[in-house]
Amino acid sequence: MKKPTQAALAAALGINPSLVTRDKRRGMPVHSIEAAQQWRDENLRVRYTPEKDREAVTRAIKGESAAQRVTSLHQAAGALLESGGDVYPMLPMISQAMADVPPSQRMRVGVVFEVMDLLTADVRRVQDQGGDVLELTEGPFYPCDKEGGDSSFMGAFWYSVAAGEVRMKAVK
């Protein structure tokens, strides 16, 4: 699991990025939003925090937890696959867990490619047969990394397919 960027920490904590740098020097952990918030609660006297900022922190912590859950599910399914077990009963739960991760946290999800192959099999089959998957699918997908270019776009697309958000169009 990747640690959040300074900008992500600042946004989640509702503070200026320069304060993240200052607080990091003072001992604030930066490996997770939850740990940083706990450190700030215990070590800083905040004069005023509007309710909307607390809601942003709560959403960020829930998103981080959702991303960690998906990573754990992928790892468990990968280990089960490796041992020859049947992961098919787990796939709907993994897909739903992936859909529960907010778009801003999806780049933090660790996936097992063999599990992703199973989650995206229907759409990949169309692609393997020479079909244009972007033309033959419908549903939203959310590129998170605007500087990532095509790889970020395709990563967001396949994540959304695995999460059940993008699916094959109905045949008319």
Side-chain angles (χ1 to χ4, degrees):
M1 182 72 60
K2 293 182 189 175
K3 70 178 185 176
T5 63
Q6 263 192 231
L9 273 172
L13 298 172
I15 61 175
N16 189 296
S18 64
L19 292 177
V20 173
T21 302
R22 181 200 71 186
D23 292 345
K24 181 179 170 185
R25 281 195 308 263
R26 292 179 175 177
M28 179 178 77
V30 294
H31 65 275
S32 77
I33 294 166
E34 190 172 32
Q37 182 61 48
Q38 182 177 351
W39 182 90
R40 288 178 57 79
D41 289 346
E42 293 171 359
N43 294 283
L44 300 179
R45 287 182 30 198
V46 179
R47 292 189 187 102
Y48 174 71
T49 301
E51 190 60 36
K52 64 180 181 179
D53 289 346
R54 288 192 186 278
E55 290 172 9
V57 170
T58 300
R59 279 193 312 274
I61 290 170
K62 285 181 180 178
E64 187 174 292
S65 295
Q68 290 172 348
R69 178 171 184 259
V70 172
T71 299
S72 295
L73 285 169
H74 265 266
Q75 290 170 346
L80 186 58
L81 264 176
E82 203 171 286
S83 70
D86 182 13
V87 298
Y88 286 96
M90 292 179 69
L91 295 181
M93 178 176 49
I94 295 170
S95 183
Q96 182 58 55
M98 291 178 75
D100 292 342
V101 177
S104 62
Q105 297 284 337
R106 290 181 175 186
M107 290 178 56
R108 302 187 63 202
V109 172
V111 300
V112 173
F113 290 110
E114 293 81 3
V115 176
M116 285 295 285
D117 287 345
L118 295 173
L119 290 166
T120 61
D122 292 341
V123 175
R124 279 187 319 102
R125 194 173 304 111
V126 170
Q127 182 186 34
D128 292 345
Q129 294 170 354
D132 183 348
V133 293
L134 295 178
E135 288 293 321
L136 298 172
T137 55
E138 61 186 1
F141 60 99
Y142 311 95
C144 299
D145 181 8
K146 292 177 177 49
E147 291 81 38
D150 288 345
S151 63
S152 177
F153 178 84
M154 291 310 294
F157 174 79
W158 288 109
Y159 185 101
S160 295
V161 170
E165 298 163 341
V166 171
R167 60 208 155 279
M168 298 303 299
K169 288 181 183 174
V171 178
K172 296 179 182 177

